[in-house]
Structures are given as C-alpha cells and as structure tokens.
Amino acid sequence: MNLFILTGAGVSAESGLGVFRGTGAALWKRYDPMQLATPEAFMRDPALVHEFYNARRRNLIAAASNAAHIALARLEAGLAQRGDSMTLVTQNIDDLHERAGSKRVIHMHGELLKARCASCGAVRDCREELSTDSRCGCDGALRPHVVWFGETPLYMEEIYAALERADRFVAIGTSGAVYPAAGFVREARARGLRCCEVNLEPSENAAQFDERRYGRASEIVPSWVEEILAR
Ligand code: OAD
C-alpha cells in the first residue's frame, strides 16, 4: 500500500487554529486575504502583515496536536513497520503533524515557524515576533516563510512524483477551494487511484471521491487509521 494523504485546516481546527472557509467562524470571513496574504499586501503594509502572522504564530506555539494528528503519525509508523508507505502533504503552515510524531511532512504552503529573507531567500527557524526591523544576515527584510496568494506552492515536483507512485488518495479537512491542492483528486482519479474524503462537510470536490466520511477529524481519522492498519 502506498497512501497519498493531503491535509488542510480542518485537521488542526480542533487544536484551536481556526479554518479559512466553511460553515461557522472562518478566518477569511473575518479578514481579507488580499490585505494580508499576498506579496502586494506585504509591499504595501508589511507591519500589518507581520501583525497578522505574529498573532497566528503565538496561537500556534500555545496549541497542541489533536487525535487526528496523532493517528496520522501512528499510521506512518504502522505502515513503515509492515513495508507499506505514505506521503503526507499538508496545506497547513502549523507544525502539529510533526509535534504528533510524523517524521516526513511536506508543507506545500510553507511553515509559520520559519522566516525567509525577501532578498537572498535564506530560510531560518522563527518562533519570535517579526517586524519591519527584522533582518537577515545579508540585511534583507525577513518575511514569514508562507506561500501567499499569487505565489507558487513549494515541493510541487516531489508532490506530483509521490502522486504517481501512490495507489490511494485521501484528503482530510480541506475545502477543496485552493489550487493546485484542490486539483490533486482529479490527478489521482485520472491515474485510477481510489479516493477518500474525510471532512466535517462535503468539500467542493466531494463528487470526485469514491468514499466519503463526514464528521470531526479527531473522531473520524483515528477510526479510519485503525481500519487501514487492521487490513
Ligand atoms: P479551509 O478552511 O478552506 O477548509 C477547511 C475544511 O475543513 C472545511 O471544509 C471545513 O468544513 C473542514 N473542517 C472544519 N472543522 C473540521 C473538523 N473538526 N474536522 C474535519 N474537518 C473540519 O482550509 P484548507 O482547505 O486547508 O492557503 O485551505 C486551503 C488554503 O486556503 C490554506 O492552506 C490557505 C487558505 O487560504 C494559504 O494561505 C496560501
């Protein structure tokens, strides 16, 4: 078995990090992403963008992984033990998969606990607040190491190569609204993979999945993992 798992904000929702879309309180209903999550927004008002990501970084540092993250880490270890494998690709910029014990996580939208130099591109760990005074060794301005609207997601070659090798595709806690991640299920189907969706409610791509399980990730993911490991 070679699983390809894509996670989104729904997997971290019960850790208190909030989601971007969907029913209920959502980040992009309260804030305008065009003012906070684009390269143009950072050029126009870097202090405002830093303030937004500083608050999210503080929340993340105070948060903890939940049962869904822990189950996925257990799945990685359990599959490896019996010679199977999985690729975990996340749209999330938090480190809750890693804190739960996942060894290999591909962060296609970057990582909140890293900063990148806007001039030389160097990436470094960052747990502190960033401001317009935050500088790289080369004197370039530091920005959050996250992918903004209009920027290309990271590791795309590696991700498509993993999709080619996979025999099953599973999307967990993602609304299917943001490309290219929202297009992975179509790629997977075209390659004949069985596709499963785990989400609180049907995503925008729900019709493309062969199997759909709805409910809270902290409940559905652990039971699904047990089923896979029992096979
Ligand atoms: P969204 O906020 O768009 O979707 C989260 C999904 O999780 C929704 O379909 C919710 O119904 C579902 N959900 C909420 N609570 C859940 C729970 N407890 N258990 C299971 N599912 C739950 O998040 P993403 O699809 O990850 O990009 O968003 C994709 C990208 O859009 C993000 O990475 C971010 C955002 O703009 C960037 O910032 C570049």
Side-chain angles (χ1 to χ4, degrees), residues 20-222:
F20 299 97
R21 304 171 189 79
T23 47
L27 219 49
W28 292 153
K29 280 187 200 159
R30 278 182 289 145
Y31 301 100
D32 177 1
M34 294 306 121
Q35 304 301 320
L36 296 165
T38 67
E40 294 75 22
F42 189 60
M43 282 201 304
R44 199 170 45 239
D45 194 345
L48 180 72
V49 173
H50 279 314
E51 196 184 307
F52 176 68
Y53 285 97
N54 285 340
R56 294 190 64 196
R57 192 179 299 106
R58 281 196 300 271
N59 283 348
L60 170 57
I61 290 170
S65 308
N66 65 52
H69 300 109
I70 293 167
L72 290 173
R74 175 169 146 64
L75 180 64
E76 181 185 33
L79 289 176
Q81 220 166 35
R82 68 185 202 200
D84 288 328
S85 62
M86 71 178 240
T87 300
L88 179 56
V89 175
T90 188
Q91 298 166 86
N92 298 344
I93 58 176
D94 64 57
D95 65 340
L96 298 183
H97 282 305
E98 287 90 340
R99 280 198 248 163
S102 286
K103 299 279 179 256
R104 242 185 76 61
V105 186
I106 300 179
H107 284 274
M108 64 181 290
H109 288 167
E111 292 171 75
L112 187 55
L113 298 184
K114 291 188 177 164
R116 182 165 85 237
C117 173
S119 300
C120 75
V123 174
R124 53 162 238 200
D125 290 341
C126 172
R127 296 180 69 83
E128 71 278 10
E129 310 261 302
L130 289 176
S131 74
T132 49
D133 295 332
S134 305
R135 298 275 140 192
C136 170
C138 79
D139 205 36
L142 288 180
R143 57 165 278 180
H145 180 49
V146 300
V147 174
W148 285 326
F149 289 99
E151 296 184 320
T152 308
L154 310 174
Y155 311 112
M156 292 312 293
E157 242 177 71
E158 198 181 326
I159 290 171
Y160 283 115
L163 257 181
E164 294 234 358
R165 289 192 306 271
D167 50 32
R168 185 183 270 252
F169 174 81
V170 186
I172 304 173
T174 176
S175 62
V178 175
Y179 285 80
F184 292 168
V185 62
R186 180 183 290 268
E187 294 277 335
R189 275 180 81 82
R191 292 177 202 291
L193 274 63
R194 186 170 170 76
C195 299
C196 172
E197 159 161 290
V198 176
N199 209 37
L200 194 59
E201 58 204 349
S203 74
E204 295 190 15
N205 294 324
Q208 299 192 52
F209 289 88
D210 307 292
E211 189 185 336
R212 294 176 280 264
R213 299 185 181 206
Y214 298 119
R216 288 147 61 101
S218 65
E219 288 161 15
I220 309 267
V221 176

